[in-house]
Amino acid sequence: MGRKNTGNIHYTYIILQNLKRKMSRTILLSVFMFFMVFMIFSLTSILCSMKEGLNNTVKRTGADILLVPKDYFSSVKDALFLGIPSTVYFDSSLADKVAKEAGVATVSSQMFLATIYDSPCCDEAVQMIAYHPESDFLIQPWIAKQLKRSIPDGQIVAGSRLSYKKGDTAIFFGRKFTVAGKLQETGMGYDNSVFLNFNTAEELLKEPVVKNYLAIGDKKEVVSLITVKADKKADIEKLAKALQNKYEKSNVSVETPGRLVESTRSTLKQYAACFIFVGAILTAFTFAALVSIFTITMNERKKEYGIIKSLGGSSLKIVSFTIGEAAAIGIMGSLAGSLLSVLTISLFRNLIVLHLKLPYLRQSFTSLILLTVLCTVLSVLTGMIAAGISAAAIQGKETYALIRENE
């Protein structure tokens, strides 16, 4: 029995048969679509994740103002946002002075110690962060969610990206620590860090390896970061400027969380401009290639189209077949490009995060679906417009001329 003409079913069947019959052409066109979507999807995904990561990092910092050693500004920023191990310290007495300033509601401090990479005294290279549980408003809220209490003396809490589990034993600077718990993902450098209270840190500072390797010497009361929570009525920018003017001679840099990531935001804008340029070039190149290939195809199939017209088929029907093929190719190339992009980003996530210095690289399922839909629409529209332009070349030709032209 012959296949019944059932409108769209018959139309779809003819399109699929045409694609199957010219498999090499179908694959070539799909590859053009694939590379366009793969690059646009990947670049857009990374760009959106960078923007989301920066915004979330600033929100989660929890402090209004941060005081860091001026000479170690980059080290503190990388430790806080990326978890890159660093040892930074300055006189802790500054915290007491800042707490007495007008407009300051709460002050706390942290100390950063970088463990030694590939050394018998340390399991691995991580950022150790000591803090005061009773006054801290950055770390303690995360710790409280896991332990329902503060970190006991002699114990640590591990960040989400570290391999330790609750109850494990970790060795840092020759001392054994019990892992009291593990943080959930924060999207900050905390995910690559371990946490301890200042009582434990002060005991750790007595270790010879700490004094010698980290050049702490006999200093006992040192901190790496002073965090400030401003009074509700205070103007944060004015307060930060006032603190900077007053303590500038102490070689301290006074920053807000937004200013800490300002350089990264600038880099993000540069990436965005490059991504847009690359995306436009790829789309233009793909469009030109599709027009060329579809034009060649239309010329090769003039006799076929002439026969269709002689049997009563309209020019619009012929154009619809060509545009339908382009749409099908766009869908195939787009879905393949989107899927491979997600897999590539997932496999090389850590490398991308490290190279681009991102807090994290993550997108929700909803955003991935939305991006896939947008890329598919772009791909299909590009193919359909290219096919339409190519098909327009035969619209004015007579049926007889189409049948005999290539003979």
Side-chain angles (χ1 to χ4, degrees):
M1 292 181 64
R3 176 176 290 273
K4 291 179 66 177
N5 188 337
T6 54
N8 288 334
I9 296 177
H10 188 53
Y11 173 74
T12 304
Y13 174 77
I14 292 175
I15 288 175
L16 293 177
Q17 289 302 307
N18 284 336
L19 293 176
K20 184 177 180 181
R21 184 165 59 90
K22 294 288 186 178
M23 185 57 71
S24 59
R25 179 179 65 89
T26 301
I27 292 174
L28 179 61
L29 291 171
S30 297
V31 166
F32 277 113
M33 293 293 195
F34 166 82
F35 278 114
M36 180 186 78
V37 170
F38 175 79
M39 292 300 296
I40 292 176
F41 190 102
S42 299
L43 296 178
T44 304
S45 182
I46 292 173
L47 185 66
C48 291
S49 187
M50 288 176 69
K51 185 176 180 179
E52 181 186 353
L54 284 177
N55 292 337
N56 287 343
T57 297
V58 172
K59 289 178 183 177
R60 291 174 177 178
T61 300
D64 295 319
I65 298 172
L66 305 170
L67 280 75
V68 300
K70 187 174 293 184
D71 297 335
Y72 295 92
F73 173 80
S74 296
S75 297
V76 171
K77 183 178 72 171
D78 289 344
L80 185 62
F81 294 145
L82 304 176
I84 297 176
S86 60
T87 297
V88 179
Y89 56 88
F90 63 108
D91 192 343
S92 63
S93 63
L94 185 61
D96 295 329
K97 297 177 182 177
V98 172
K100 298 175 183 177
E101 298 292 340
V104 174
T106 308
V107 172
S108 190
S109 54
Q110 299 175 13
M111 180 170 62
F112 299 159
L113 295 174
T115 63
I116 305 174
Y117 176 75
D118 196 22
S119 170
C121 75
C122 299
D123 284 346
E124 56 183 308
V126 300
Q127 179 69 66
M128 300 190 78
I129 301 179
Y131 74 105
H132 295 287
E134 64 279 3
S135 62
D136 183 84
F137 46 86
L138 270 70
I139 298 173
Q140 185 57 29
W142 295 97
I143 300 292
K145 288 181 181 179
Q146 302 300 309
L147 301 186
K148 309 300 181 185
R149 56 191 172 94
S150 301
I151 304 177
D153 292 350
Q155 298 187 23
I156 61 173
V157 168
S160 64
R161 293 183 185 174
L162 301 181
S163 59
Y164 302 109
K165 302 186 297 293
K166 183 178 180 179
D168 287 350
T169 298
I171 299 177
F172 296 113
F173 300 113
R175 288 210 173 198
K176 291 184 178 181
F177 298 90
T178 300
V179 179
K182 190 165 185 174
L183 283 184
Q184 292 182 346
E185 185 178 23
T186 65
M188 298 175 61
Y190 294 164
D191 297 329
N192 297 314
S193 307
V194 296
F195 305 91
L196 61 162
N197 62 37
F198 257 93
N199 291 336
T200 304
E202 288 170 359
E203 290 298 314
L204 195 60
L205 291 178
K206 298 176 183 178
E207 294 294 333
V209 66
V210 175
K211 291 182 178 180
N212 297 330
Y213 179 79
L214 301 183
I216 297 292
D218 294 324
K219 297 176 182 177
K220 296 180 180 179
E221 297 182 357
V222 293
V223 295
S224 308
L225 171 70
I226 297 174
T227 60
V228 177
K229 199 78 171 177
D231 188 275
K232 291 182 179 180
K233 297 181 180 179
D235 185 309
I236 295 174
E237 291 295 334
K238 288 183 179 180
L239 178 59
K241 188 174 182 179
L243 292 175
Q244 181 66 73
N245 292 336
K246 185 166 185 177
Y247 296 106
E248 190 168 3
K249 293 182 180 179
S250 300
N251 201 33
V252 170
S253 179
V254 180
E255 304 290 343
T256 61
R259 289 212 297 263
L260 273 180
V261 298
E262 193 171 322
S263 61
T264 308
R265 287 191 188 281
S266 177
T267 302
L268 177 61
K269 291 179 181 179
Q270 294 175 10
Y271 281 138
C274 290
F275 289 176
I276 292 171
F277 177 76
V278 170
I281 292 295
L282 280 171
T283 303
F285 174 77
T286 302
F287 181 77
L290 292 177
V291 170
S292 299
I293 295 173
F294 275 118
T295 299
I296 294 172
T297 300
M298 296 296 291
N299 287 328
E300 290 176 347
R301 298 170 66 181
K302 282 180 179 179
K303 184 174 182 179
E304 175 187 336
Y305 294 145
I307 293 173
I308 292 175
K309 291 185 73 173
S310 69
L311 295 175
S314 65
S315 296
L316 183 61
K317 194 71 171 178
I318 294 173
V319 173
S320 70
F321 282 133
T322 306
I323 292 178
E325 291 175 22
I329 289 170
I331 292 172
M332 289 188 292
S334 180
L335 292 179
S338 299
L339 178 60
L340 186 62
S341 177
V342 172
L343 291 175
T344 302
I345 292 175
S346 298
L347 289 174
F348 297 99
R349 182 184 305 275
N350 292 336
L351 185 63
I352 295 171
V353 167
L354 184 63
H355 182 69
L356 297 181
K357 290 191 174 183
L358 305 178
Y360 65 87
L361 183 59
R362 180 183 61 193
Q363 278 193 289
S364 65
F365 179 75
T366 302
S367 61
L368 290 176
I369 292 297
L370 179 60
L371 186 54
T372 300
V373 171
L374 292 175
C375 284
T376 301
V377 170
L378 174 64
S379 180
V380 170
L381 286 177
T382 301
M384 291 175 67
I385 294 172
I389 291 174
S390 303
I394 67 168
Q395 290 305 296
K397 298 202 173 185
E398 297 293 335
T399 301
Y400 178 79
L402 288 172
I403 295 174
R404 298 298 302 272
E405 190 164 326
N406 289 334
E407 291 184 1

